[in-house]
Amino acid sequence: MTTAPHNPQSLAEAVGRGMYERDYCAQAHGIELLEIAPGYARMSMTVRKDMVNGHDIGHGGMTFTLADTAFAYACNAANEVTVAAGCSITFPAPAKLGDVLTAECREVHKRGRSGVYDVTVTKQDGTVVGLFRGQSARIAGTVIPWTKRP
């Protein structure tokens, strides 16, 4: 076990690094962790040819995957294993091949073992392409091993 970082921000950064090392889905889709803090994460992904559907627009499932990934990092940033209990997404505008999408997730409410998080997914020009709301449930365990400082 490693010693816990000095503050919540350092812990969130350590959790982000630890999660990303094992997050083969994010890696396979080119999702990058840009920023993480307690209850917050910002991630990005470029829409590739294999992410475009038969209408020549970004597949909604790919936008969802980016939003869901940011949600996962934000709700696990305190190093308490947290999973999705439910979520929904709205697609106000389409993404296109080559667009760089950024998902920004913020904790809206957290009480006990439950939380609510909002994710906004935008294109490089600021156009909103996804509005995601996730409900989280904390379960047993820690994301990365650590002990409290003496």
Side-chain angles (χ1 to χ4, degrees):
M1 293 202 157
T2 58
T3 303
H6 292 300
N7 61 57
Q9 179 60 38
S10 296
L11 179 59
E13 291 170 5
V15 168
R17 287 189 302 273
M19 282 183 67
Y20 197 82
E21 286 175 13
R22 301 183 310 269
D23 192 343
Y24 304 114
C25 180
Q27 293 173 32
H29 291 93
I31 297 173
E32 297 179 41
L33 176 61
L34 304 175
E35 185 178 0
I36 189 168
Y40 175 86
R42 189 167 54 89
M43 305 186 88
S44 70
M45 173 185 80
T46 300
V47 178
R48 305 181 312 222
K49 184 177 179 180
D50 61 338
M51 298 174 176
V52 174
N53 65 22
H55 298 297
D56 200 32
I57 59 175
H59 193 291
M62 298 310 306
T63 302
F64 180 93
T65 298
L66 175 61
D68 187 47
T69 303
F71 166 52
Y73 281 72
C75 65
N76 280 277
N79 200 31
E80 298 173 328
V81 176
T82 306
V83 296
C87 54
S88 64
I89 192 165
T90 301
F91 304 107
K96 298 278 189 179
L97 179 64
D99 280 341
V100 177
L101 305 182
T102 301
E104 188 170 30
C105 181
R106 295 182 189 283
E107 183 180 275
V108 175
H109 179 76
K110 186 175 176 184
R111 182 172 179 183
R113 297 176 358 134
S114 299
V116 177
Y117 295 76
D118 284 342
V119 184
T120 302
V121 181
T122 56
K123 298 192 312 187
Q124 64 279 355
D125 66 1
T127 301
V128 176
V129 298
L131 295 168
F132 173 107
R133 173 159 276 193
Q135 298 84 39
S136 68
R138 183 171 39 90
I139 60 175
T142 58
V143 180
I144 58 173
W146 63 279
T147 59
K148 293 185 179 181
R149 291 194 178 274

